[in-house]
Amino acid sequence: MVPGMPGVAAEGAAADDVESPPPEASAGVLPRVQLPSMEKIAGRVTLTYSQRLWGAAISAVAGILLILLGAAFLLLFSPIGFALPYTLGNICLLTSTFFIMGPWNQLKKMCEPNRIVASVVFFLAIAFTLFSALYVGSSLLVILALFVQVCALVWYILSYIPGAPDCVKRTVVGMVRS
């Protein structure tokens, strides 16, 4: 037998020395594999403080440069040209927070009750923006998706400021009623 490779005989081994495959494999079912949990993975991946700062800075600078590139396309009246770098810039900026807080901690914060709706809407808007720009090619849909993306991002950022979401809600309701 070849170590680590069931069913493969070493050179010179007899045919009856060959181990048969597990019964699940013969039935067309893949054997169940136990994957490590996110906590275990997060506990194994460690960066120094300096590496975290460099990662965050590089991601943030890349995000800002992409957003500025998108702004150049906006000046050329190309919503689709704006959407792609702007959306990728937002993803880079989000990635920069992963370096500071750690991806698992950031994801847990994004799933807190006061942030979950903004987080889900933000990610759906990113997907819809990319879909509208790359597949549909509709400037109107891209503009709508970008508007939702910006609103969700602002709402997510405001969720970190105590009382800010309620203040914005009251302001918007007051503006609509007048």
Side-chain angles (χ1 to χ4, degrees):
M1 279 321 272
V2 175
M5 297 183 70
V8 178
E11 282 184 36
D16 50 337
D17 289 343
V18 176
E19 188 178 310
S20 62
E24 308 91 45
S26 62
V29 177
L30 295 176
R32 187 175 175 100
V33 176
Q34 182 65 33
L35 297 175
S37 69
M38 287 302 291
E39 287 92 1
K40 286 182 183 178
I41 293 171
R44 292 181 190 152
V45 178
T46 57
L47 296 174
T48 66
Y49 181 73
S50 177
Q51 290 170 329
R52 286 178 181 264
L53 288 180
W54 275 106
I58 290 169
S59 293
V61 167
I64 291 168
L65 290 175
L66 284 165
I67 289 171
L68 291 174
L69 176 65
F73 278 105
L74 195 59
L75 294 173
L76 298 173
F77 302 104
S78 174
I80 294 172
F82 169 73
L84 297 176
Y86 177 79
T87 301
L88 293 175
N90 273 339
I91 292 169
C92 285
L93 288 173
L94 181 64
T95 303
S96 72
T97 65
F98 285 5
F99 281 103
I100 298 296
M101 298 178 71
W104 186 239
N105 287 333
Q106 177 68 21
L107 290 173
K108 284 196 287 190
K109 287 234 182 248
M110 293 174 83
C111 292
E112 289 177 355
N114 61 328
R115 295 186 185 99
I116 187 73
V117 173
S119 300
V120 169
V121 170
F122 180 66
F123 285 118
L124 289 174
I126 283 176
F128 189 63
T129 302
L130 294 174
F131 174 77
S132 300
L134 297 174
Y135 185 73
V136 178
S138 167
S139 294
L140 183 62
L141 285 178
V142 167
I143 291 169
L144 175 67
L146 286 169
F147 177 75
V148 172
Q149 192 179 140
V150 170
C151 289
L153 181 60
V154 168
W155 193 259
Y156 178 77
I157 291 168
L158 288 175
S159 72
Y160 280 94
I161 303 169
D166 291 330
C167 180
V168 170
K169 280 182 198 175
R170 285 191 303 271
T171 303
V172 170
V173 168
M175 289 171 49
V176 170
R177 286 189 181 161
S178 37

